[in-house]
Amino acid sequence: MSGRSSLPLLWRRPLLPALLVLLAAAIFLADTITNLEIAVAVFYVAIVLIAVRYLDQRGVAMVAAACMALTVLSFFLTRAGSVPAGVINCAISLVAIAVTAYLALRTAAAEASAREAQAQLAHITRVTMLGELTASIAHELNQPLAAIVLNGNAARRWLAAGNPDEAGKAAERIVRDAERASELIKRLRDLTRKAAGKAVRLDVNQLIAETLTLVENEAGRSHVSLRTELAGKLPRAEADPVQIQQVILNLILNAIEATSGEQERDVTIVTSAGKPGEIVIEVRDSGRGLSGVQLDHVFDAFYTTKPEGLGMGLAISRSIIESHGGRIWAQPAMPRGAAFFFLLPAGRTGSRGSNQ
């Protein structure tokens, strides 16, 4: 039982001590003036049960002891009835009071333990949510910040080499990535305010083309060949372009990493109309592929196949796609590697489409 103080509770309920005293006096009086064959003292259990609700363990024990003392005193004061029957009734009343006090205290202790466990669980849940949020923010911002550092170093080298044109292009990429990081922070802030996503009629092929410019440096440094097979006359999707671009970017960067150490390093992005009302995007790599267990858990939060991975990228991607009413999944690619698909509900038919 928790260490709550009985006195403050009693003071907050000034009628409670008087009620208990009056009730005990009534039971004592009835037990004394009636015959010994009538076990009125068993009603002291009601006082014990009331006391358990408002007193701590020590207070309840004192109340139970007082009730038992009144029971014995009433036995000696009673003048009518059979003494043997009175002894039996007195013993039954004492046992009833003692057992009630014991069970009530055990129940109260169990309830206190349950409340404490619930409080700890709530605390753990808050800590877990904070950890997930921190990991999510770190994951989302790592990519544009890393690109800013990369392009900053490139700009410095171009300037040292006396090539201001290339340095200017690197500076433009720095500005672009900084704006992207700023937009991510704004979206995260909107997310905490439960703000709705900024859905527009989205040309998926155009979005993929814009995303490829963000990863071309990474692909070149990793010697990965990026290819696209984009369907023409795709319908448009009603979606948030920043969030969908995050998904595409995450899948492409994962695919580039998956080809590390392989002789053939190909990443292919494919779009298709899929079923009526659907747009399907596929990112396929020629890497090591995923086992059956990995395919089952690859979208779980904090599950990662990379030694230094956070295990949040695909979990976030799934959350984004499902929030748009879509679906994301993975399967083995042929002849090797892994293929990640996601589909978005189609909106209005767009006029733009391309085959590259």
Side-chain angles (χ1 to χ4, degrees):
M1 193 172 187
S2 64
R4 49 186 176 173
S5 171
S6 61
L7 187 58
L9 285 172
L10 288 175
W11 277 111
R12 287 197 294 270
R13 297 172 177 82
L15 294 179
L16 180 62
L19 176 64
L20 292 179
V21 171
L22 289 176
L23 184 58
I27 295 172
F28 175 77
L29 182 62
D31 192 29
T32 302
I33 64 175
T34 55
N35 294 338
L36 291 172
E37 289 86 346
I38 302 175
V40 178
V42 294
F43 289 107
Y44 284 122
V45 298
I47 296 177
V48 174
L49 293 175
I50 294 173
V52 167
R53 296 289 300 171
Y54 301 104
L55 301 181
D56 61 9
Q57 187 173 6
R58 183 180 178 184
V60 174
M62 293 176 63
V63 169
C67 291
M68 295 173 74
L70 291 175
T71 300
V72 175
L73 179 60
S74 178
F75 170 75
F76 287 108
L77 294 179
T78 302
R79 298 304 179 187
S82 170
V83 174
V87 171
I88 294 173
N89 286 337
C90 181
I92 292 174
S93 300
L94 293 176
V95 171
I97 295 170
V99 170
T100 299
Y102 173 75
L103 294 179
L105 289 174
R106 287 286 303 271
T107 302
E111 291 177 352
S113 298
R115 287 194 296 269
E116 185 177 356
Q118 288 177 346
Q120 292 179 349
L121 180 61
H123 175 69
I124 292 172
T125 301
R126 288 194 295 270
V127 171
T128 302
M129 292 178 62
L130 178 62
E132 291 180 358
L133 180 61
T134 303
S136 172
I137 293 172
H139 182 276
E140 295 296 321
L141 291 180
N142 180 62
Q143 294 168 354
L145 293 179
I148 289 172
V149 173
L150 183 66
N151 285 306
N153 290 329
R156 191 168 54 186
R157 288 195 299 270
W158 286 122
L159 288 173
N163 192 336
D165 294 338
E166 291 297 331
K169 293 178 181 178
E172 291 177 358
R173 291 195 292 268
I174 291 174
V175 173
R176 179 195 62 196
D177 291 324
E179 291 175 344
R180 182 164 149 251
S182 175
E183 184 68 18
L184 285 173
I185 293 174
K186 179 176 179 299
R187 294 303 169 90
L188 286 170
R189 191 168 61 235
D190 291 343
L191 183 63
T192 59
R193 293 201 299 255
K194 299 182 179 178
K198 185 180 179 182
V200 299
R201 291 203 306 274
L202 181 64
D203 185 331
V204 174
N205 287 342
Q206 182 182 5
L207 184 66
I208 290 174
E210 294 173 356
T211 306
L212 289 177
T213 63
L214 301 176
V215 298
E216 58 186 5
N217 289 337
E218 179 66 27
R221 191 166 55 251
S222 302
H223 306 291
V224 172
S225 173
L226 288 176
R227 296 189 298 177
T228 57
E229 299 173 8
L230 306 182
K233 298 182 179 179
L234 273 181
R236 298 194 180 212
E238 293 285 342
D240 185 317
V242 174
Q243 293 184 2
I244 299 303
Q245 187 179 57
Q246 282 301 113
V247 175
I248 298 171
L249 189 62
N250 187 45
L251 295 181
I252 294 176
L253 291 176
N254 283 350
I256 291 174
E257 288 189 39
T259 62
S260 176
E262 303 293 325
Q263 288 187 346
E264 295 183 6
R265 301 177 184 177
D266 297 325
V267 173
T268 305
I269 301 95
V270 183
T271 59
S272 60
K275 297 179 181 178
E278 293 180 351
I279 303 169
V280 180
I281 298 93
E282 174 190 359
V283 177
R284 183 173 65 237
D285 65 71
S286 60
R288 298 174 296 279
L290 298 172
S291 67
V293 174
Q294 291 172 331
L295 287 172
D296 291 337
H297 298 282
V298 72
F299 293 103
D300 293 348
F302 299 112
Y303 180 86
T304 179
T305 59
K306 295 177 284 189
E308 299 178 355
L310 286 174
M312 289 300 298
L314 291 177
I316 295 170
S317 297
R318 181 176 64 177
S319 176
I320 290 174
I321 296 303
E322 290 180 350
S323 70
H324 283 80
R327 184 166 65 90
I328 188 170
W329 72 97
Q331 66 185 46
M334 295 297 172
R336 58 173 299 154
F340 286 79
F341 299 81
F342 70 88
L343 67 84
L344 293 171
R348 296 177 59 183
T349 302
S351 58
R352 270 187 296 195
S354 59
N355 285 299
Q356 298 179 25

